[in-house]
């Protein structure tokens, strides 16, 4: 396959000369034109034609490679491609869903190489609580020779305006369901998808979790008996750079490419929706998925707030041979790499989007000292290192009002964070294989064109004394624990013999099958956490709609109890869903419990097939009087039991001897 690469406005465009061709011989790239009439704005570069409503700024049409419109023409024009948000005034709990429609239109840049258009909406105080108190400027950009278009938006809340909470904001794309049937979100997560009609009554059975259905009479009979749930296709931020759909006739791909996660919330391993039945593709910037309301932006006390979301790139490609949809996927991945390498883009006309020369960089080396006695250090190999708004250690996972910049350290713990927007940050880090969170002791101020070398940084993970025993791997995930096979009638064939087997529906119900009468009992030194520790500590169904609390046991020996020292139990959770975990030592009925987390967590990761949500770490002082010489038992009781979806997922448990 021959490739031609040309640089246009700082963007590398890949023209595929053989298999992916707009014609057998590529003509010179046409200039970009914009046509404005009373109701529509049309951007055209000879490859893609984008039609937008005026002044609303909804995507009403995308014409490409023989398809007059890749968007779902049976939807109303404002429900094909659109920016939306969910918000609520600070004194109201229920969210308000709004499609963001502009009231003012402008062509902000126009020449043969580039067109950028703006659709603005200004907050009107006379609307009171019926309109989100934001000025929003949606932008669409088309470049010469580019097989697609870009979109981004600037949200601004002026000082003194009403307080509000932002529950969700995203760009949604609804494609033609008579054409786009094959979805791809990763190398090993691709498949023919159900039709949207398959989720309706008469063709499906609703399951306990509202977004999930079992296909009973799908249009494509080969999908009969499978479960469809959009959350089965969620991805972590670091893994969701490109996803989309493929039409077989004509062979056309539609891809959402997110070249940077700096404007997303919650850090690199935060999960969210990607593409799902519709056919729908999303670029989600803010939501409570896999985190709960704690992660949502809350604009309070009349503060000033502004943030740029995007740009994201909507890429279209085609395959004249129609031989294999994975060829279009591979090309989309290459284009995603091109877009990532071009970040930050040079072309956005808004001054609020900082270009490369306006940004700074930060570097350093992270070392880990986990042995307080000998003070020996190890390299922070593969550490996640990032800059985010100042806060407490670990606060980045609930941060969404500012920007975040994350990299992985190399084997020596070295890291280089480039293209950082100007501002004040803390440096945060966490290291797979070690507990807890690192935070820099001082704020870091990034200025334009400036590089900051932090030198050697030392992280001391939580530890008081030597390890007596441990369960799991401290990596903020429950993936290493036992994930059962799904019920045959709850299957999604994509995840059979798949590394992400935890994405099957209904796995929480398997706990009662495996432990119908007695709860899980784990014996240190005998049991194997890969086989004997269930992936989620859930409730047990004991009636038609009744559930009971469950108590797990950890049995371990102690040959000699230090009566003058304090032991430490490190309890790291990968997820918590409306749960309260109580811990007792050698007495299951003692009141109050020796330790309780209190009610924690709303990340909903159990029901939504995530193997983690928000990370929690509890360090519990264990009095020596609670322990016995010889055999001991720790009782872990998850007390909340109103639904089948409540529970916790453990990350790692460790008992330390006194220092």
């Amino acid at each position: 396959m021959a490739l031609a690469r040309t640089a246009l406005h700082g963007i590398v465009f890949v023209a595929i000369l053989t298999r992916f061709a707009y014609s057998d011989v590529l003509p010179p790239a046409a200039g970009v034109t914009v046509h404005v009439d009373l109701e529509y704005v049309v951007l055209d570069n000879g490859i893609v034609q984008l039609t937008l409503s005026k002044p609303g700024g909804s995507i009403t049409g995308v014409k490409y490679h023989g398809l007059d419109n890749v968007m779902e023409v049976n939807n109303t024009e404002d429900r094909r491609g659109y920016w939306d948000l969910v918000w609520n005034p600070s004194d109201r709990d229920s969210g308000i869903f709004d499609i963001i429609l502009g009231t003012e239109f402008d062509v902000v840049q126009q020449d043969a190489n580039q067109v950028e258009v703006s659709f603005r909406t200004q907050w009107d105080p006379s609307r009171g609580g019926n309109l989100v108190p934001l000025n929003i400027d949606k932008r669409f950009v088309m470049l010469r020779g580019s097989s697609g278009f870009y979109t981004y938006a600037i949200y601004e809340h002026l000082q003194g305006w009403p307080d509000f909470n932002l529950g969700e904001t995203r760009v949604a794309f609804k494609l033609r369901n008579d054409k786009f049937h094959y979805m791809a979100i990763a190398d090993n997560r691709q498949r023919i998808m159900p039709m949207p009609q398959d989720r309706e009554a008469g063709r499906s059975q609703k399951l306990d979790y509202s977004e999930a259905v079992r296909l009973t009479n799908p249009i494509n009979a080969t999908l009969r008996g499978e479960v469809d749930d959009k959350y089965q296709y969620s991805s972590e931020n670091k893994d969701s750079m490109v996803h989309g759909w493929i039409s077989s006739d004509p062979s056309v791909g539609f891809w959402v490419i997110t070249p940077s996660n700096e404007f997303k919330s919650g850090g690199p391993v935060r999960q969210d929706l990607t593409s799902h039945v519709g056919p729908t593709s999303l670029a989600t910037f803010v939501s409570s998925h896999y985190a709960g309301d704690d992660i949502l932006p809350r604009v309070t006390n009349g503060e000033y707030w502004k943030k740029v979301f995007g740009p994201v790139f909507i890429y279209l490609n085609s395959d004249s041979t129609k031989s294999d949809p994975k060829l279009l996927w591979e090309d989309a991945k290459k284009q995603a790499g091109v877009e990532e390498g071009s970040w930050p883009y040079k072309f956005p006309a808004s001054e609020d989007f900082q270009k490369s020369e306006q940004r700074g960089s930060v570097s350093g080396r992270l070392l880990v000292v986990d042995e307080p006695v000998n003070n020996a250090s190890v390299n922070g190999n593969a550490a996640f290192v990032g800059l985010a708004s100042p806060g407490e250690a670990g606060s980045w996972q609930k941060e969404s009002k500012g920007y975040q910049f994350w990299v992985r350290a190399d084997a020596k713990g070295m890291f280089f964070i480039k293209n950082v927007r100007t501002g004040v940050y803390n440096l945060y880090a966490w290291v797979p294989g070690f507990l807890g969170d690192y935070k820099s002791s001082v704020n870091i101020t990034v200025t334009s064109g400036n590089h900051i070398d932090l030198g050697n940084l030392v992280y001391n993970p939580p530890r008081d004394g030597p390890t007596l025993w441990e369960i799991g791997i401290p990596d903020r995930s429950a993936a290493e624990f036992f994930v059962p096979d799904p019920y045959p009638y709850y299957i999604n064939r994509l995840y059979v013999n798949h590394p992400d087997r935890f994405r099957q529906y209904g796995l929480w119900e398997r706990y009662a099958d495996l432990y119908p009468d007695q709860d899980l009992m784990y014996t240190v030194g005998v049991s194997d956490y890969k086989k004997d520790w269930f992936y989620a500590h859930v409730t047990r169904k004991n009636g038609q709609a009744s559930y009971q609390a469950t108590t797990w046991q950890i049995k371990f020996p102690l040959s000699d109890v230090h009566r003058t020292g304090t032991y430490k139990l490190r309890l790291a959770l990968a997820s918590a869903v409306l749960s309260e975990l109580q811990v007792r030592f050698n007495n299951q009925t003692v009141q109050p419990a020796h330790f309780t987390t209190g009610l924690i967590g709303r990340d909903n990761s159990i029901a939504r097939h995530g193997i983690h949500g928000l990370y929690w770490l509890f360090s519990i002082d264990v009095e020596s009087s609670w322990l016995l010489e010889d055999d001991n038992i720790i009782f872990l009781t998850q007390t909340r039991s109103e639904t089948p979806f409540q529970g916790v997922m453990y990350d790692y448990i460790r008992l330390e001897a006194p220092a």
Side-chain angles (χ1 to χ4, degrees):
M1 184 181 298
L3 300 179
R5 300 175 183 263
T6 58
L8 297 172
H9 289 268
I11 302 302
V12 180
F13 170 64
V14 181
I16 300 175
L17 299 179
T18 55
R19 187 178 300 278
F20 304 106
Y22 311 116
S23 61
D24 290 337
V25 178
L26 282 174
V32 188
T33 63
V34 57
H35 175 75
V36 181
D37 63 22
L38 188 62
E39 295 183 344
Y40 300 100
V41 179
V42 180
L43 279 61
D44 195 333
N45 65 1
I47 302 169
V48 176
Q49 184 183 92
L50 171 66
T51 302
L52 304 160
S53 65
K54 173 176 169 284
S58 295
I59 300 171
T60 66
V62 178
K63 183 178 181 180
Y64 172 76
H65 198 69
L67 281 176
D68 285 341
N69 201 346
V70 304
M71 312 305 292
E72 180 49 76
V73 294
N74 291 319
N75 288 3
T76 59
E77 288 192 339
D78 63 351
R79 293 292 182 126
R80 298 176 185 176
Y82 52 89
W83 284 76
D84 67 32
L85 55 77
V86 177
W87 71 283
N88 63 281
S90 58
D91 59 354
R92 173 177 166 180
D93 292 332
S94 58
I96 302 168
F97 173 80
D98 281 332
I99 290 179
I100 302 170
L101 297 175
T103 57
E104 303 174 26
F105 164 75
D106 191 23
V107 178
V108 295
Q109 183 167 340
Q110 178 184 3
D111 58 42
N113 293 316
Q114 173 181 344
V115 169
E116 180 165 342
V117 292
S118 165
F119 301 86
R120 296 182 304 279
T121 178
Q122 306 273 344
W123 182 62
D124 181 358
S126 67
R127 294 279 299 274
N130 297 318
L131 185 68
V132 62
L134 286 171
N135 291 335
I136 298 177
D137 186 354
K138 296 186 300 181
R139 301 288 183 99
F140 294 88
V141 183
M142 184 172 283
L143 305 179
R144 179 199 289 263
S146 176
S147 186
F149 60 92
Y150 300 83
T151 185
Y152 67 107
I154 305 102
Y155 290 21
E156 183 181 36
H157 179 273
L158 296 185
Q159 188 172 3
W161 282 7
D163 299 348
F164 78 102
N165 304 324
L166 185 60
E168 181 180 82
T169 194
R170 63 186 187 175
V171 193
F173 303 93
K174 310 287 188 176
L175 306 180
R176 284 178 57 170
N177 67 48
D178 65 330
K179 294 293 184 182
F180 292 90
H181 302 149
Y182 189 91
M183 187 181 78
I185 55 180
D187 288 339
N188 61 354
R189 299 174 71 191
Q190 305 182 21
R191 62 167 297 166
I192 296 289
M193 293 292 286
M195 300 290 285
Q197 302 93 311
D198 293 338
R199 296 180 52 86
E200 298 173 357
R203 291 192 178 275
S204 67
Q205 168 196 353
K206 288 187 176 181
L207 300 178
D208 288 344
Y209 197 68
S210 58
E211 284 90 351
V213 299
R214 183 172 182 267
L215 307 176
T216 55
N217 184 30
I219 294 170
N220 182 346
T222 63
L223 304 180
R224 182 177 288 113
E226 288 201 58
V227 167
D228 178 68
D229 182 346
K230 64 183 179 181
Y231 292 104
Q232 292 180 317
Y233 305 106
S234 298
S235 288
E236 295 179 349
N237 284 342
K238 64 181 177 60
D239 299 326
S240 58
M241 183 183 297
V242 57
H243 58 89
W245 291 83
I246 294 172
S247 163
S248 59
D249 186 19
S251 184
V252 165
F254 182 99
W255 309 99
V256 177
I257 295 177
T258 305
S260 170
N261 286 318
E262 67 181 47
F263 41 78
K264 287 191 173 184
S265 57
V269 296
R270 162 78 197 294
Q271 298 174 88
D272 219 320
L273 297 172
T274 56
S275 292
H276 56 80
V277 165
T280 298
S281 284
L282 303 173
T284 303
F285 309 117
V286 171
S287 84
S288 61
H289 298 147
Y290 301 96
D293 292 348
D294 287 345
I295 199 174
L296 300 179
R298 302 179 187 277
V299 182
T300 60
N301 300 318
E303 68 180 293
Y304 180 81
W305 177 67
K306 180 185 279 190
K307 187 168 183 178
V308 180
F309 295 105
V312 295
F313 182 45
I314 308 310
Y315 178 60
L316 294 104
N317 59 4
S318 60
D319 176 8
S320 59
T321 69
K322 305 179 184 179
S323 57
D324 185 352
K326 290 191 176 181
L327 294 174
L328 290 173
W329 163 252
E330 291 297 326
D331 175 58
K333 286 198 304 177
K334 291 178 182 177
Q335 187 64 34
V338 170
E339 301 299 324
E340 181 185 29
S342 302
W343 188 270
Y345 294 135
K346 294 183 177 180
F347 60 79
S350 172
E351 294 181 356
D352 293 308
F353 181 82
Q354 290 190 346
K355 312 306 188 292
S356 180
E357 63 274 12
Q358 297 172 292
R359 301 185 177 214
S361 58
V362 176
S363 64
R365 183 185 187 190
L366 185 67
L367 303 172
V368 182
V369 176
D370 191 35
E371 296 293 339
V373 176
N374 58 28
N375 207 39
S377 66
V378 297
N379 297 328
N381 180 22
F384 289 84
V385 185
L387 295 166
S389 297
E392 301 299 320
S395 61
W396 54 267
Q397 67 173 342
K398 298 180 182 179
E399 209 289 311
S400 56
K401 289 168 73 174
Y403 301 89
Q404 299 197 25
F405 303 86
W406 289 87
V407 296
R408 297 293 297 271
D410 65 16
K412 295 182 179 180
M414 307 289 289
F415 61 88
F416 184 87
I417 308 173
K418 61 182 180 179
N419 294 317
V420 181
R421 290 179 61 105
T422 57
V424 180
Y425 302 90
N426 276 149
L427 184 88
Y428 301 94
W430 62 276
V431 188
F434 296 94
L435 280 173
D437 282 274
Y438 171 83
K439 191 197 85 164
S440 57
S441 58
V442 296
N443 290 348
I444 296 169
T445 301
V446 175
T447 58
S448 295
N450 188 34
H451 173 72
I452 300 172
D453 184 357
L454 298 174
N456 289 342
L457 306 172
V458 177
Y459 173 49
N460 299 107
R463 179 180 288 279
D464 285 1
T467 299
L468 294 176
W469 52 260
E470 58 188 351
I471 300 172
I473 302 169
D475 61 358
R476 304 181 179 228
S477 166
E480 70 267 30
F481 298 126
F482 177 71
V483 178
D485 291 330
Y487 292 112
Y489 47 86
Y490 283 161
I491 205 81
N492 181 324
R493 294 190 186 100
L494 175 63
Y495 296 114
V496 175
N497 299 320
H498 192 281
D500 290 359
R501 55 186 290 123
F502 56 83
R503 297 190 188 276
Q504 297 281 10
Y505 181 87
L507 297 180
W508 54 87
E509 294 184 9
R510 296 300 319 278
Y511 178 79
D513 296 338
L514 296 169
Y515 303 95
D517 302 312
Q518 291 185 324
D519 284 321
L520 184 149
M521 290 185 288
Y522 186 94
T523 302
V524 172
V526 176
S527 301
D528 180 353
Y529 65 76
K530 297 177 182 178
K531 301 176 182 178
D532 303 318
W533 191 271
F534 198 72
Y535 82 104
H537 189 162
V538 292
T539 58
R540 178 190 288 105
K541 190 172 184 178
N542 62 357
Q544 187 62 31
S546 178
Y547 304 89
Q548 67 184 36
T550 52
T551 298
W552 291 12
Q553 298 181 32
I554 303 174
K555 298 182 177 182
F556 63 97
L558 275 181
S559 58
D560 182 26
V561 178
H562 299 275
R563 295 300 176 187
T564 58
T566 300
Y567 291 75
K568 188 78 75 172
L569 183 70
R570 308 287 182 183
L571 185 65
L573 304 179
S575 168
V577 185
L578 292 170
S579 299
E580 179 181 358
L581 191 63
Q582 295 182 355
V583 183
R584 295 175 173 86
F585 295 82
N586 293 311
N587 185 340
Q588 188 173 353
T589 60
V590 64
Q591 294 293 345
H594 292 126
F595 174 82
T596 179
T597 62
L599 181 62
I600 58 172
R602 291 179 175 271
D603 64 43
N604 223 5
S605 295
I606 293 173
R608 289 175 171 168
H609 328 294
I611 202 63
H612 67 85
L614 290 185
Y615 176 73
W616 303 78
L617 176 59
F618 300 96
S619 295
I620 305 167
D621 289 335
V622 181
E623 297 180 14
S624 59
S625 61
W626 300 346
L627 300 174
L628 305 173
E629 292 189 356
D630 201 9
D631 294 331
N632 291 263
I633 302 177
I634 296 177
F635 298 95
L636 303 173
T637 303
Q638 200 296 97
T639 65
R640 308 296 177 120
S641 56
E642 289 77 25
T643 77
F645 310 120
Q646 289 172 279
V648 301
M649 287 188 248
Y650 297 95
D651 169 40
Y652 175 75
I653 304 175
R654 181 173 77 208
L655 183 66
E656 298 171 12

